[in-house]
């Protein structure tokens, strides 16, 4: 049974008409970077809840969540109009295994995200723990439009912090923007464009690929890497080259 506690909204950042971030204060249990919790509201006599990843580092008491407003949804439209001081329910205990301790040692760690699924990677990179195991880290954020690159300034700050280790790459699918690749993630891998842009190979000898986001992107990329790079899903009982989390 989930242990629900009250949280107070302290900040709301509206990035676009639909993308926003909530900052919440709540006495949650300690979590590991990459994990998620659930936010909920009582609506018409029932608790409506959804899972959201922590964006903040575990040591930061300002709990941050990156959300997209789904107009026909039950919860996100209500979260979208929240103001500082409003209350939201939060599950006290964290959940999820999309964490670095589950990732085997490798030369290059690829962090691939679509949309709001960027959150877990930002938590991991802001904390900075256990990253010395990797010589290179690639953080990719794929969105539809350039305006959807909400956390690009933070990504650039992190790139400076990890000078020489972290490479960031943005992908925009519906417009052409300088510095960003254009298209879908699986196609950019299949064509070699992603590796050419980053300057690193994605292969079984050097790489582990983390995938988080749109389930179709995750499935298509996994199948492509299996078919063309001989990569396998990573399991505790059988180490592999791909770790994934579907974001809905």
């Amino acid at each position: 049974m989930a242990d629900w506690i009250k949280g107070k909204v302290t900040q709301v950042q509206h990035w676009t008409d639909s993308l926003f971030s909530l900052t919440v204060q709540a006495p949650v249990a300690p979590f590991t970077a990459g994990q998620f919790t659930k936010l909920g509201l009582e609506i018409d006599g029932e608790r409506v809840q959804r899972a959201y990843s922590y964006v903040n580092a575990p040591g930061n008491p300002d709990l941050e969540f990156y959300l997209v407003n789904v107009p026909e949804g039950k919860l996100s439209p209500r979260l979208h109009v929240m103001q500082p001081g409003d209350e939201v329910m939060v599950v006290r205990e964290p959940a999820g295994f999309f964490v670095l301790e589950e990732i085997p040692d490798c030369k290059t760690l690829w962090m691939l995200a679509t949309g709001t699924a960027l959150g877990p990677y930002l938590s991991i990179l802001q904390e900075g723990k256990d990253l010395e195991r990797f010589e290179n880290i690639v953080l990719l954020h794929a969105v539809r439009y350039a305006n959807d690159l909400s956390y690009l300034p933070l990504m650039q700050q992190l790139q400076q912090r990890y000078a020489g280790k972290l490479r960031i790459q943005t992908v925009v699918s519906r417009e052409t923007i300088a510095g960003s690749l254009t298209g879908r993630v699986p196609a950019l891998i299949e064509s070699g464009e992603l590796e050419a842009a980053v300057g690193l190979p994605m292969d079984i000898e050097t790489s582990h690929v983390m995938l988080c986001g749109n389930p179709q992107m995750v499935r298509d990329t996994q199948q492509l890497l299996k078919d063309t790079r001989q990569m396998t899903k990573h399991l505790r009982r059988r180490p592999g080259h791909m770790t994934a989390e579907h974001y809905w």
Side-chain angles (χ1 to χ4, degrees):
M1 195 74 176
D3 181 11
W4 288 90
I5 57 176
K6 285 185 179 179
K8 181 171 286 189
V9 175
T10 58
Q11 184 178 348
V12 184
Q13 174 70 56
H14 290 281
W15 304 105
T16 68
D17 289 344
S18 60
L19 291 169
F20 65 107
S21 295
L22 286 182
T23 303
V24 178
Q25 293 261 316
V28 296
F31 67 91
T32 301
Q35 287 191 302
F36 63 88
T37 186
K38 288 183 179 179
L39 302 181
L41 291 172
E42 294 290 335
I43 301 173
D44 298 329
E46 66 168 320
R47 181 180 292 128
V48 180
Q49 56 185 283
R50 297 290 183 270
Y52 296 105
S53 294
Y54 289 106
V55 175
N56 58 293
N60 185 348
D62 294 321
L63 309 179
E64 187 173 353
F65 305 96
Y66 186 29
L67 301 83
V68 61
N69 180 30
V70 180
E72 65 273 19
K74 284 188 175 182
L75 183 62
S76 63
R78 294 177 184 250
L79 296 176
H80 190 236
V81 297
M82 283 197 145
Q83 301 292 325
D86 288 345
E87 286 190 348
V88 61
M89 300 301 292
V90 186
V91 170
R92 185 176 184 276
E93 298 292 335
F97 298 97
F98 198 69
V99 297
L100 280 190
E101 62 189 56
E102 297 289 334
I103 304 300
D105 293 348
C106 63
K107 185 175 180 179
T108 301
L109 179 62
W110 296 80
M111 297 176 163
L112 310 185
T114 58
T116 56
L118 180 69
Y121 301 131
L122 294 179
S123 181
I124 290 168
L125 291 168
Q126 288 186 95
E127 182 182 40
K129 183 180 176 182
D130 203 26
L131 297 178
E132 65 279 354
R133 296 194 288 125
F134 314 106
E135 184 177 321
N136 309 299
I137 301 170
V138 179
L139 176 61
L140 177 147
H141 190 201
V143 298
R144 292 179 297 175
Y145 300 101
N147 285 344
D148 299 333
L149 295 168
S150 311
Y151 284 92
L152 184 57
L154 176 57
M155 292 167 64
Q156 292 168 335
Q157 289 174 22
L158 289 166
Q159 187 176 34
Q160 291 180 343
R161 174 178 164 185
Y162 298 109
K165 179 188 283 281
L166 176 63
R167 307 182 191 198
I168 62 173
Q169 181 62 55
T170 55
V171 176
V172 179
S173 63
R174 298 191 182 179
E175 58 183 345
T176 301
I177 300 294
S180 292
L181 296 175
T182 304
R184 294 188 67 241
V185 173
L188 293 169
I189 295 173
E190 187 172 22
S191 69
E193 286 182 75
L194 175 57
E195 289 157 287
V198 171
L200 292 167
M202 185 184 289
D203 55 35
I204 59 174
E205 287 78 21
T206 64
S207 301
H208 191 92
V209 182
M210 297 178 75
L211 296 157
C212 191
N214 182 305
Q216 193 63 54
M217 182 280 289
V218 172
R219 286 191 292 267
D220 290 350
T221 303
Q222 283 181 316
Q223 192 63 50
L224 174 71
L225 293 175
K226 177 183 176 182
D227 293 343
T228 64
R229 312 292 171 99
Q230 291 73 55
M231 289 187 173
T232 57
K233 289 183 181 180
H234 178 67
L235 304 171
R236 283 181 172 177
R237 66 180 183 274
R238 190 184 73 238
H241 317 95
M242 299 181 288
T243 299
E245 182 154 280
H246 293 189
Y247 221 59
W248 61 78

